[in-house]
């Protein structure tokens, strides 16, 4: 068994034993060292965004004191959901290894595939543009600060 996936499984087991959420654990590795750990804490935090991958990204960013995880790899017990995939992209993680597929996850009662279906069919939550001009002014104030937003 891969040592990093084993660590991800141990992370998930801990979360399950504490009744903190589903069987999802994640590890982030850079240069052969574990720099981030996380498990599903949706139940514990009462927050639907506290997936294992997200928690591991938070931990790795704190460890490296950055929001850019370029050169990192993520090991996770379940195939990342659309939200986690977005976070992985935003964090610049270069490689993801997962244990169970979305079909495996569906068998134990999770609905990840339904979200993929909604994205594929553009069935997102109802959205409406509102007060764009005022928001553009905010964006312009930010742009003038000349802050680096990407790596």
């Amino acid at each position: 068994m891969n040592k990093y996936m084993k660590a991800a499984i141990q992370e998930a087991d801990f979360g399950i034993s504490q009744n903190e959420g589903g069987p999802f654990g994640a590890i982030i590795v850079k240069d052969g060292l574990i720099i981030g750990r996380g498990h599903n804490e949706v139940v514990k935090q009462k927050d639907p965004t506290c997936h294992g991958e997200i928690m591991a990204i938070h931990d790795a960013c704190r460890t490296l004191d950055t929001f850019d995880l370029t050169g990192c790899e993520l090991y996770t017990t379940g195939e990342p959901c659309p939200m986690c995939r977005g976070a992985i992209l935003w964090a610049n993680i270069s490689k993801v290894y997962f244990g169970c597929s979305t079909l495996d996850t569906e068998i134990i009662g999770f609905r990840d595939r339904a979200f993929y279906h909604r994205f594929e069919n553009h069935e997102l939550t109802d959205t409406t543009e509102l007060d764009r001009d005022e928001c553009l002014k905010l964006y312009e104030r930010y742009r003038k600060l000349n802050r680096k937003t990407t790596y």
Side-chain angles (χ1 to χ4, degrees):
M1 173 185 289
N2 178 281
K3 68 180 179 179
Y4 302 123
M5 186 59 77
K6 183 177 181 179
I9 291 168
Q10 290 170 339
E11 191 67 32
D13 269 335
F14 175 78
I16 292 169
S17 73
Q18 300 300 304
N19 194 31
E20 294 181 351
F24 309 107
I27 299 296
I28 297 178
V29 176
K30 185 166 187 173
D31 300 327
L33 298 173
I34 294 175
I35 59 155
R37 297 174 179 272
H39 59 271
N40 186 291
E41 295 187 31
V42 169
V43 173
K44 175 185 177 185
Q45 302 291 342
K46 297 175 182 58
D47 181 341
T49 68
C50 290
H51 290 196
E53 297 91 336
I54 302 292
M55 304 310 282
I57 289 169
H58 288 175
D59 191 39
C61 289
R62 278 190 300 271
T63 298
L64 297 181
D65 194 29
T66 184
F67 59 84
D68 182 17
L69 299 179
T70 296
C72 293
E73 297 178 334
L74 186 142
Y75 294 78
T76 181
T77 57
E79 185 174 356
C81 73
M83 176 186 69
C84 291
R85 284 177 186 249
I88 289 163
L89 290 171
W90 279 109
N92 298 315
I93 293 170
S94 59
K95 179 74 176 171
V96 174
Y97 299 91
F98 63 89
C100 294
S101 71
T102 55
L103 290 174
D104 299 322
T105 303
E106 186 174 22
I107 289 168
I108 62 167
F110 291 87
R111 56 189 175 132
D112 296 33
R113 283 191 346 138
F115 292 116
Y116 281 107
H117 176 76
R118 289 182 72 178
F119 277 108
E120 289 166 4
N121 293 301
H122 304 285
E123 298 172 5
L124 301 177
T125 302
D126 185 21
T127 61
T128 303
E129 187 176 279
L130 181 66
D131 294 326
R132 181 172 184 262
D133 290 339
E134 291 304 311
C135 292
L136 284 172
K137 290 175 188 174
L138 172 70
Y139 279 26
E140 181 61 18
R141 286 194 301 274
Y142 182 80
R143 187 188 64 77
K144 288 179 180 176
L145 296 172
N146 291 317
R147 293 192 178 142
K148 189 175 186 178
T149 57
T150 60
Y151 282 85

